[in-house]
Amino acid sequence: MFTGSMVALITPMNEKGQICRSSLKNLVDYHINNGTSAIVSVGTTGESATLNQNEHHYVVMLTLELSDGKIPVIAGTGANATTESISLTKKFEDSGIIGCLTVTPYYNRPTQEGLYQHFKAISENTELPQILYNVPLRTGCDLLPSTVIKLSRLKNIIGIKEATGDLSRVNTIKLKVNKKFILISGDDSTSLDFIKLGGKGVISVTANIAAKEMQKMCQLALQKKFIDAQNINNKLMFLHHSLFLEPNPIPVKWVAKKLNLIQHDTLRLPMTPASYNTRKKLIKALQQSNIINKCIT
């Protein structure tokens, strides 16, 4: 359940910024039909920073309902306050989610000991499997391999989404953790190399709009068919990069709207719509990747 291409799902909203059930249903069906391994609901790409806790819970539970047991759902449960992360995690006990993705506490810039104690406290307050999430560019703190190794010994911390793009960390962590500890890429552009080094998959932004291609690439890589996997990845590389021309999820929401996966590309402030220049580059990336629809002009 924690291998292959797992989508960091966008959270669709209507023109007024309210959660759009029909678009979310369309997205869930898209991933079921295209073989995505799992959905991560309300992570960074799902705009967790601008949803309140009630909305956060609602979107995860709605995703579970709409998935109807046909695709596993992982809940984003990170927060910059340990008590808030524990509270959010507890809301999903016995809900049907298969685990939690918990980002490092943002803004506070805790020490490595603070990070260890944060995740330890969450672990002690739930039976749900916990996946650590390290993305220093967004959070302002870096969960170092030595701390990951220490945390891997706790009962229900089962893996890490490592989004630094630093491939040297794969071996550094892998050599010191239990063989069952799961390493997952959080960076689409280096995910193939991450899997080659022993990773089990990727929690992907690109999969929002190239679900079949990302899953195929991951499955080939996990089967060690690296040449075939590389051929797919080469076609997607410009798209991987283009989806981060502006802060995520600005570009990917615009593309999802253009591909008729969602009805509106609404974002909540302080996020603003993709610029004209970014949109032009995104269309070029879609054409290069052969992910194009007649609706794109």
Side-chain angles (χ1 to χ4, degrees), residues 95-109:
S95 67
I97 70 163
I98 63 166
C100 299
L101 179 70
T102 310
V103 72
T104 52
Y106 39 87
Y107 188 78
N108 298 322
R109 299 181 66 198

Side-chain angles (χ1 to χ4, degrees), residues 63-261:
T63 304
L64 266 172
E65 176 193 330
L66 297 174
S67 67
D68 194 27
K70 295 175 183 175
I71 186 169
V73 177
I74 300 165
T77 53
N80 65 332
T82 306
T83 53
E84 184 178 349
S85 192
I86 290 170
S87 172
L88 190 54
T89 301
K90 282 182 169 294
K91 287 179 182 288
F92 298 117
E93 294 279 359
D94 302 316
S95 67
I97 70 163
I98 63 166
C100 299
L101 179 70
T102 310
V103 72
T104 52
Y106 39 87
Y107 188 78
N108 298 322
R109 299 181 66 198
T111 63
Q112 293 303 302
E113 179 61 20
L115 289 169
Y116 175 78
Q117 293 297 336
H118 170 80
F119 288 113
K120 179 174 180 286
I122 297 168
S123 172
E124 290 172 344
N125 279 278
T126 185
E127 295 299 317
L128 286 167
Q130 301 291 305
I131 302 171
L132 310 171
Y133 177 16
N134 188 38
V135 56
L137 187 64
R138 300 293 292 244
T139 64
C141 70
D142 189 359
L143 186 64
L144 297 178
S146 57
T147 309
V148 174
I149 292 161
K150 189 176 176 183
L151 284 166
S152 73
R153 300 175 188 134
L154 301 181
K155 62 180 177 67
N156 55 350
I157 295 181
I158 64 164
I160 183 170
K161 174 186 175 183
E162 176 56 64
T164 59
D166 180 359
L167 294 171
S168 69
R169 294 192 177 201
V170 182
N171 279 331
T172 302
I173 295 170
K174 187 181 173 185
L175 290 171
K176 297 286 184 71
V177 296
N178 186 293
K179 289 184 179 179
K180 293 182 179 180
F181 191 78
I182 303 162
L183 279 77
I184 303 167
S185 173
D187 178 57
D188 279 305
S189 63
T190 58
S191 60
L192 176 54
D193 291 326
F194 193 100
I195 295 172
K196 286 180 182 179
L197 292 169
K200 295 300 183 183
V202 59
I203 294 178
S204 170
V205 175
T206 302
N208 277 283
I209 54 173
K212 184 180 291 185
E213 293 83 357
M214 284 301 298
Q215 181 67 320
K216 183 66 174 176
M217 186 270 287
C218 287
Q219 291 304 318
L220 287 168
L222 289 167
Q223 295 165 16
K224 301 189 184 303
K225 298 178 181 178
F226 297 129
I227 294 175
D228 292 336
Q230 188 68 59
N231 288 336
I232 295 173
N233 199 47
N234 288 345
K235 291 180 181 179
L236 293 174
M237 190 57 70
F238 185 30
L239 183 60
H240 293 328
H241 291 297
S242 296
L243 289 174
F244 288 88
L245 287 170
E246 294 182 28
N248 180 40
I250 293 172
V252 71
K253 265 199 160 178
W254 184 83
V255 174
K257 164 74 164 51
K258 281 294 180 183
L259 295 176
N260 287 330
L261 290 169

Side-chain angles (χ1 to χ4, degrees), residues 8-28 31 39-42 45-47 51 55 58-60 62-63 66 208 249 252-253 256-257 260-268:
L9 196 69
I10 56 177
T11 297
M13 301 172 187
N14 63 23
E15 288 174 305
K16 296 181 179 179
Q18 300 163 330
I19 309 307
C20 182
R21 180 189 177 99
S22 60
S23 287
L24 185 57
K25 175 69 164 64
N26 197 45
L27 288 171
V28 170
H31 288 288
I39 289 172
V40 174
S41 180
V42 198
T45 309
E47 295 177 81
L51 298 183
E55 290 174 318
Y58 170 71
V59 173
V60 174
L62 182 58
T63 304
L66 297 174
N208 277 283
V252 71
K253 265 199 160 178
K257 164 74 164 51
N260 287 330
L261 290 169
I262 58 177
Q263 295 173 33
H264 304 281
D265 60 340
T266 307
L267 298 140
R268 288 185 178 176

